[in-house]
């Protein structure tokens, strides 16, 4: 079996202008990044006809650490839809270098359901992440410069500064640092730290904005900290807005690439779902809807995180109306939720799958809360037994939904045609009727409780003393009508990653809050959240090689 990168390298790749022509995009509208990548101008968005196209969300059950293949299913489904004669495009997030060199690997799909050129996509791509990183760190530099200034100081209390620097790499040593050491000319000493770039609010802003004007306004609304008198300070107050926007003027444009089968794909933005909204940009999704009949998109981690935020934040804010949901499940993940340890993930076990089905059942119920009867995609692996697959199908029958074995990894689009046909049938029946879980007018406490009790299955929510104090500040700033962007472990419905399956009888605790006033949401933090991951004992970086001719191997 060839590796992902060997499959990608062995597949003929078309010039990007050929892919653009399939979307009726002229050469004059392409901004080339080499022969196989291009940026697309925002004027391609047709606001009058967005609702004529169908928007499909691909989400998943609670995943194992390696992920369950949402991108593989998204790409394969896009190819499958094109095989059956539908004009479809995949609209996805860009990969972060942290997972690429860490544990999870890249995010370009897998096997014969990939977007290419996969090396470029997984490594630097068109520089969007770099632009976000530079804009974030420019704001950090301007903050420290203001602290140092004797004539233009805003009297910011260094102890209240919440803005951190970012880097797109896993580096635990940078989580907590001290800056400004070395004497009076080197700044004001204070505690600081680094987040990974996908956790930057600027990443979230890029994915929430609608155009350059909106981007600029949101950047100015970034909350930095307080003055010594207790007044809030925003990025606009230190005159950072235009400089930040300048650094992002190219990054705001979506990126056009292709699948292995020569179908178009748009990649743009990459916020993590455990600590941000976990979906690609509103701009990219709208552009996809302007160009084809079917847009296949995805939301990060399990549906309790990515899908919940896709519906309650992205769709509720932008007015996007999804038409159907595909819920990805793997037999491996069901074994995990049924009690299997890592060494047993690939060992068939009907009893463990049966025990793990509660997790799938809860995700199905959650999608129904939003108005959708999800289509279940069983992402197939060679060690899945027919008996285990049948257990999944029987559960789905009880919920009056359908489970289909998806073989995009091994067979590409032709292995996804059954799923594609059933999806089209589901969409044409128009059985879905999207409804958010809460209204923005509800109090933050009520919105958080709705998510915790209805989506996670918690009995209730507790707020720490610190969280209660921060909540009062949030309300005093007028941010209490913002949507909620929960930050919690992706490994469990609860805030305790050890609770697998469908835990019951638990309470979630909001430890503290973060304010993302530029992105337009508030972030309750459940448990200890790592916004700067560390590398595993044996990182993927050790497997990646490059020969003397520049050919890369080991990237997946």
């Amino acid at each position: 079996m060839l590796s992902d990168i060997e499959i990608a390298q062995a597949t003929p790749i078309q010039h990007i202008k050929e892919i653009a022509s399939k979307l009726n995009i002229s050469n004059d509208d392409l901004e080339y990044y080499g022969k196989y990548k291009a940026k697309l101008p925002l004027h391609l968005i047709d606001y009058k006809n967005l609702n004529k196209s169908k928007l499909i969300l691909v989400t998943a059950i609670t995943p194992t650490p390696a992920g369950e293949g949402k991108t593989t299913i998204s790409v394969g489904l896009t190819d499958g839809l094109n095989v059956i004669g539908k004009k479809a495009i995949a609209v996805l997030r860009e990969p972060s270098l942290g997972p690429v060199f860490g544990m999870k690997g890249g995010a370009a799909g897998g096997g014969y359901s990939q977007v290419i050129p996969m090396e470029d996509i997984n490594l630097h791509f068109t520089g969007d992440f770099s632009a976000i990183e530079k804009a974030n760190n420019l704001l950090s530099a301007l903050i420290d410069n203001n602290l140092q200034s004797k004539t233009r100081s805003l009297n910011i209390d260094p102890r209240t500064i919440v803005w951190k620097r970012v880097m797109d790499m896993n580096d635990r040593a940078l989580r907590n640092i001290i800056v400004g050491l070395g004497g009076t000319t080197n700044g004001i000493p204070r505690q600081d730290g680094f987040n990974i770039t996908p956790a930057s609010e600027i990443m979230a802003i890029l994915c929430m904005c609608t155009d350059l004007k909106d981007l600029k306004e949101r950047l100015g609304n970034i909350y930095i900290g307080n003055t010594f008198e207790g007044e809030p300070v925003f990025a606009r107050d230190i005159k950072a807005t235009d400089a930040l926007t300048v650094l992002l003027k190219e990054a705001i444009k979506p990126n056009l690439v292709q699948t292995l089968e020569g179908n178009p794909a748009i990649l743009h933005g990459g916020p993590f779902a455990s600590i941000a909204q976990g979906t690609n940009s509103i701009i990219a999704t709208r552009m996809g809807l302007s160009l084809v009949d079917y847009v296949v998109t995805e939301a990060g981690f399990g549906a309790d995180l990515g899908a919940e935020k896709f519906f309650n934040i992205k769709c509720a804010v932008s007015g996007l109306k999804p038409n159907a949901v595909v819920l990805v499940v793997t037999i491996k993940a069901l074994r995990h939720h049924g009690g299997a340890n890592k060494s047993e993930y690939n060992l068939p076990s009907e009893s463990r799958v049966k025990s793990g089905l509660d997790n799938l059942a809860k995700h199905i119920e959650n999608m129904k809360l939003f108005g959708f009867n999800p289509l279940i995609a069983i992402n197939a692996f060679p060690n899945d037994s027919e008996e285990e697959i049948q257990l999944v199908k029987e559960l789905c029958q009880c919920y009056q939904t359908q489970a289909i074995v998806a073989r995009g990894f091994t067979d590409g689009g032709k292995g996804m045609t059954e799923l594609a046909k059933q999806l089209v049938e589901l969409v044409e029946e128009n059985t879905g009727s999207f409804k958010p879980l809460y209204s923005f007018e509800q109090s933050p406490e009520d919105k958080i409780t709705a998510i915790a009790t209805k989506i996670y299955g918690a009995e209730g929510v507790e707020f720490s003393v610190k969280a209660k104090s921060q909540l009062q500040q949030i309300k005093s700033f007028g941010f209490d009508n913002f949507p909620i962007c929960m930050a919690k472990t992706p490994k469990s419905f609860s805030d305790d990653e050890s609770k697998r399956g469908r835990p019951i009888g638990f309470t979630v605790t909001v430890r503290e809050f973060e304010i993302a006033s530029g992105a337009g949401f508030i972030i309750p933090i459940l448990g200890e959240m790592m916004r700067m991951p560390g590398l595993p004992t044996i990182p993927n970086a050790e497997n990646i090689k490059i020969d003397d001719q520049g050919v890369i191997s080991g990237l997946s």
Side-chain angles (χ1 to χ4, degrees):
M1 180 69 180
L2 296 176
S3 68
D4 290 349
I5 192 168
E6 288 171 331
I7 292 170
Q9 291 170 342
T11 302
I13 184 169
Q14 300 178 43
H15 196 288
I16 199 63
K17 67 182 180 183
E18 301 299 328
I19 305 302
S21 68
K22 298 177 182 181
L23 300 171
N24 297 317
I25 298 173
S26 70
N27 289 343
D28 287 342
D29 279 331
L30 294 178
E31 297 180 14
Y32 292 104
Y33 282 68
K35 294 188 289 184
Y36 309 121
K37 312 182 294 292
K39 280 196 168 288
L40 300 175
L42 271 55
H43 70 73
L44 293 177
I45 299 174
D46 181 2
Y47 288 95
K48 294 180 180 179
N49 295 305
L50 293 180
N51 291 331
K52 290 185 178 180
S53 300
K54 308 302 181 183
L55 178 58
I56 313 303
L57 174 67
V58 177
T59 185
I61 67 168
T62 307
T64 56
E68 305 316 307
K70 289 188 303 297
T71 304
T72 300
I73 294 297
S74 298
V75 175
L77 179 57
T78 301
D79 287 335
L81 285 165
N82 280 284
V83 168
I84 66 171
K86 301 297 181 181
K87 191 175 182 181
I89 190 170
V91 181
L92 309 170
R93 292 176 296 164
E94 302 175 49
S96 162
L97 289 177
V100 168
F101 292 110
M103 179 172 65
K104 195 173 180 180
Y112 289 89
S113 291
Q114 296 186 58
V115 283
I116 52 175
M118 73 92 78
E119 304 103 305
D120 292 1
I121 291 168
N122 282 315
L123 303 171
H124 302 305
F125 199 24
T126 58
D128 292 348
F129 274 54
S130 178
I132 291 164
E133 184 178 299
K134 298 300 185 292
N136 184 106
N137 294 340
L138 172 60
L139 181 53
S140 290
L142 290 170
I143 292 169
D144 282 306
N145 189 58
N146 191 270
L147 293 177
Q148 178 79 353
S149 175
K150 294 180 180 179
T151 58
R152 304 189 67 198
S153 172
L154 293 173
N155 204 30
I156 301 171
D157 183 348
R159 299 166 299 180
T160 68
I161 294 172
V162 295
W163 191 256
K164 291 190 174 184
R165 290 164 164 84
V166 299
M167 181 175 70
D168 193 32
M169 197 63 65
N170 292 1
D171 193 343
R172 60 172 56 85
L174 295 178
R175 288 172 184 162
N176 295 286
I177 63 172
I178 302 294
V179 298
L181 299 180
T184 57
T185 61
N186 292 329
I188 305 298
R190 65 181 182 89
Q191 186 173 346
D192 197 2
F194 275 79
N195 293 329
I196 192 167
T197 302
S200 169
E201 186 183 351
I202 291 182
M203 174 69 80
I205 288 171
L206 186 78
C207 289
M208 291 299 296
C209 75
T210 55
D211 53 31
L212 199 65
K213 180 181 178 182
D214 187 37
L215 172 65
K216 186 175 175 179
E217 182 176 348
R218 287 175 179 272
L219 291 170
N221 289 339
I222 292 172
Y223 169 69
I224 293 168
N226 296 337
T227 66
F228 280 102
E229 293 76 29
E231 294 298 316
V233 180
F234 300 94
R236 59 179 177 268
D237 296 325
I238 58 173
K239 297 180 171 52
T241 306
D242 282 276
L244 301 184
T245 308
V246 165
L247 287 172
L248 298 169
K249 71 179 183 68
E250 297 302 314
I252 195 175
K253 302 171 186 176
N255 308 289
L256 180 66
V257 290
Q258 63 192 283
T259 72
L260 287 175
E261 298 186 9
N263 294 310
I266 291 176
L267 276 61
H268 197 218
F272 287 164
S274 55
I275 45 184
Q277 72 267 44
T279 65
N280 63 72
S281 72
I282 290 171
I283 287 173
T285 303
R286 285 177 170 172
M287 187 169 291
L289 291 168
S290 302
L291 298 171
V292 297
D293 300 321
Y294 281 80
V295 170
V296 180
T297 190
E298 66 173 2
F301 288 121
D304 57 313
L305 284 168
E308 183 270 312
K309 294 172 181 179
F310 177 85
F311 292 135
N312 287 325
I313 299 177
K314 181 174 180 175
C315 292
V317 169
S318 67
L320 290 169
K321 296 179 180 179
N323 299 92
V325 173
V326 175
L327 183 60
V328 179
V329 58
T330 60
I331 300 300
K332 173 189 69 174
L334 293 175
R335 293 175 191 143
H336 166 82
H337 289 292
N341 59 44
K342 191 173 182 179
S343 65
E344 298 169 322
Y345 285 172
N346 296 322
L347 300 178
S349 172
E350 290 179 60
S351 63
R352 283 185 169 135
V353 168
K354 195 169 185 178
S355 297
L357 286 173
D358 277 349
N359 186 271
L360 171 59
K362 177 58 175 163
H363 283 291
I364 293 173
E365 292 168 16
N366 286 348
M367 294 304 96
K368 288 178 180 288
L369 285 175
F370 290 105
F372 297 101
N373 190 26
L375 189 59
I376 311 304
I378 304 173
N379 190 15
F381 287 83
N383 52 33
D384 298 346
S385 72
E386 287 300 321
E387 292 79 9
E388 291 171 310
I389 291 172
Q390 187 59 34
L391 287 172
V392 177
K393 291 184 176 181
E394 289 172 0
L395 174 81
C396 293
Q397 287 173 357
C398 294
Y399 281 91
Q400 297 182 316
T401 188
Q402 195 165 7
I404 297 171
V405 177
R407 303 191 185 277
F409 186 90
T410 55
D411 299 334
K414 68 180 182 181
M416 300 292 287
T417 54
E418 184 182 359
L419 184 68
K421 289 175 182 176
Q422 289 300 320
L423 175 67
V424 170
E425 185 176 317
L426 185 67
V427 170
E428 291 180 348
E429 287 175 358
N430 195 28
T431 56
S433 180
F434 167 60
K435 51 185 179 183
L437 190 68
Y438 56 77
S439 70
F440 292 171
E441 289 72 29
Q442 290 178 257
S443 70
E445 295 94 331
D446 286 346
K447 287 180 277 196
I448 292 166
T449 300
I451 296 169
T453 57
K454 295 180 181 180
I455 301 299
Y456 305 161
E459 290 188 346
V461 181
E462 294 180 354
F463 296 85
S464 71
V465 173
K466 181 178 182 180
K468 289 178 181 178
S469 174
Q470 291 173 323
L471 196 51
Q472 290 305 310
Q473 184 182 55
I474 287 168
K475 292 178 180 179
S476 72
F477 291 167
F479 299 153
D480 48 323
N481 64 339
F482 282 173
I484 300 297
C485 187
M486 293 285 228
K488 85 170 180 70
T489 175
K491 298 178 182 179
S492 173
F493 276 115
S494 75
D495 53 2
D496 178 355
E497 66 179 45
S498 68
K499 296 183 185 297
R500 302 185 191 181
R502 182 178 184 167
I504 58 174
F506 66 93
T507 299
V508 299
T509 300
V510 178
R511 179 170 57 85
E512 61 181 317
F513 283 93
E514 292 186 4
I515 300 172
S517 52
F521 47 72
I522 56 177
I523 306 170
I525 299 179
L526 312 185
E528 295 295 327
M529 289 301 301
M530 291 297 178
R531 301 193 63 144
M532 169 53 82
L535 291 171
T537 303
I538 304 176
N540 281 343
E542 294 185 14
N543 303 319
I544 298 171
K545 310 294 181 185
I546 185 168
D547 67 18
D548 294 342
Q549 284 71 49
V551 177
I552 298 171
S553 61
L555 185 63
S556 63

